Amino acid sequence: MNETELFDLELKLLLEAIYQRYHYDFRQYALSSLRRRVRHAMSRFGCEHISDLQRRLLHEPDLFAQAMQFFTVQVSEMFRDPDYFSVLRQHALPVLGTYPSIKLWVAGCSTGEEVWSLAILLHEEGLLDRSLIYATDINSDALAMAEAGVFPIDRMALFSQNYLKAGGKGSLSDYYSAAYNGAMFDRSLKRNIVFADHSLATDQVFSEVHLVSCRNVLIYFNRALQDRAVGLFHEALVYRGFLGLGSKESLQFGAHASAFEVCVREQRLYRKAS
Ligand SMILES: C[S@@+](CC[C@H](N)C(=O)[O-])C[C@H]1O[C@@H](n2cnc3c(N)ncnc32)[C@H](O)[C@@H]1O
């Protein structure tokens, strides 16, 4: 057995141990990026072998909480890929506006940039008051930050540019004030957002929704887990409901490809077709 094979064997045992001990299931995550992130965790926690890391994670729950930052990737931006948000504005929101009440699910919301962006979009289209947004993730620290809605002030220049490119109708600064060394977004935007722990790997559907936005999450999953997640979205969506994915993600070749039709290919917007 060569070094890589040994590493992968230990990695498999580590993921099984984490699942048995903490019920977080990383066993079907894409291997290449998982390997990289586990190596970072090993160096951060001073472990020479994965088995050293496994022993510590099993016996030190606090360390496992810290290690979650390595098992999940939290990179996000407000109005990330601005064209995606303008496509939502042009293609999805006018349809959603025909429903008396609207439910949306941001799956893998991380620290909240995507869901606060969506709330601003709904507000500008006059739909926020009759919307309910579920913002879910497995990372509890990220969820707490998402709920707080305070982002570093030095990120506002980029977020403002994105907002304008996405067809923002005012200025992003209309929605935040400086507080707690950051930009605190208007509390009224989160009136209809429910932040909750939910795993696409182990949990079931919890509501019927009109739109699912799950961006930059499936790239970390292997094909089987991608199929499971998209299966949940399909089950959650109303007939003709919308599904938005990240710019590097697609339904093509997946088990549920034929159950959706492409709405805007370039921006990865789909509609439930059957
Ligand atoms: C790169 S972030 C994406 C953030 C945001 N959607 C965006 O595009 O800017 C990926 C998120 O997926 C979450 N995640 C990873 N595995 C998950 C799972 N099994 N169920 C739900 N969320 C998961 C991570 O915790 C992380 O917050």
Side-chain angles (χ1 to χ4, degrees):
M1 202 176 244
N2 65 32
E3 276 304 308
T4 315
E5 288 166 339
L6 207 51
F7 186 91
D8 282 354
L9 171 60
E10 280 202 292
L11 181 56
K12 204 172 159 189
L13 296 173
L14 171 72
L15 301 180
E16 188 60 40
I18 289 175
Y19 179 63
Q20 297 290 335
R21 173 78 168 89
Y22 299 106
H23 308 296
Y24 283 98
D25 193 353
F26 299 109
R27 294 174 300 175
Q28 292 187 304
Y29 280 43
L31 254 187
S32 51
S33 73
L34 204 51
R35 283 191 194 112
R36 209 171 36 246
R37 285 178 280 126
V38 166
R39 281 189 211 282
H40 285 156
M42 287 163 64
S43 105
R44 168 72 178 281
F45 300 129
C47 299
E48 194 183 337
H49 299 289
I50 299 190
S51 40
D52 305 327
L53 182 65
Q54 173 171 321
R55 185 181 49 76
R56 288 198 60 196
L57 292 181
L58 284 179
H59 293 280
E60 301 174 43
D62 290 348
L63 193 81
F64 176 69
Q66 291 176 44
M68 274 299 277
Q69 301 308 327
F70 293 93
F71 286 101
T72 60
V73 177
Q74 301 303 325
V75 184
S76 193
E77 252 173 48
M78 285 189 86
F79 297 96
R80 183 180 195 175
D81 307 318
D83 290 346
Y84 171 76
F85 287 88
S86 37
V87 155
L88 285 187
R89 202 192 279 273
Q90 288 162 29
H91 294 265
L93 298 202
V95 177
L96 299 192
T98 64
Y99 291 96
S101 69
I102 308 160
K103 288 188 186 172
L104 308 96
W105 177 15
V106 179
C109 68
S110 185
T111 38
E113 288 85 341
E114 182 183 352
V115 66
W116 285 86
S117 306
L118 196 57
I120 290 172
L121 207 65
L122 289 162
H123 166 73
E124 292 190 351
E125 298 306 314
L127 301 177
L128 186 59
D129 285 345
R130 58 189 156 113
S131 298
L132 176 60
I133 313 177
Y134 299 103
T136 62
D137 205 285
I138 54 168
N139 187 313
S140 54
D141 289 346
L143 270 177
M145 289 167 77
E147 187 153 15
V150 180
F151 302 106
I153 204 88
D154 60 6
R155 304 200 70 201
M156 288 305 123
L158 171 67
F159 293 179
S160 297
Q161 274 174 25
N162 287 352
Y163 164 78
L164 291 174
K165 283 188 200 152
K169 291 186 170 168
S171 159
L172 189 64
S173 59
D174 300 338
Y175 299 104
Y176 66 82
S177 46
Y180 304 112
N181 292 328
M184 183 165 87
F185 276 76
D186 195 337
R187 309 290 84 189
S188 67
L189 289 169
K190 70 165 182 179
R191 230 180 16 234
N192 299 342
I193 308 179
V194 176
F195 295 90
D197 181 276
H198 179 276
S199 171
L200 296 168
T202 52
D203 292 325
Q204 303 302 321
V205 164
F206 52 85
S207 176
E208 184 174 73
V209 297
H210 302 93
L211 179 142
V212 174
S213 190
C214 181
R215 312 200 65 225
N216 309 298
V217 179
L218 299 184
I219 32 169
Y220 299 106
F221 295 174
N222 72 12
R223 175 59 57 77
L225 187 52
Q226 289 175 359
D227 285 344
R228 181 187 200 276
V230 176
L232 293 182
F233 304 150
H234 183 263
E235 195 183 332
L237 281 168
V238 299
Y239 175 61
R240 306 295 288 150
F242 291 89
L243 170 63
L245 302 180
S247 61
K248 298 190 195 77
E249 297 159 339
S250 153
L251 291 184
Q252 220 185 346
F253 311 123
H256 302 280
S258 61
F260 289 88
E261 67 183 35
V262 176
C263 181
V264 181
R265 185 179 302 281
E266 188 68 9
Q267 310 314 328
R268 308 296 196 260
L269 188 65
Y270 301 87
R271 285 187 87 171
K272 180 168 165 173
S274 61

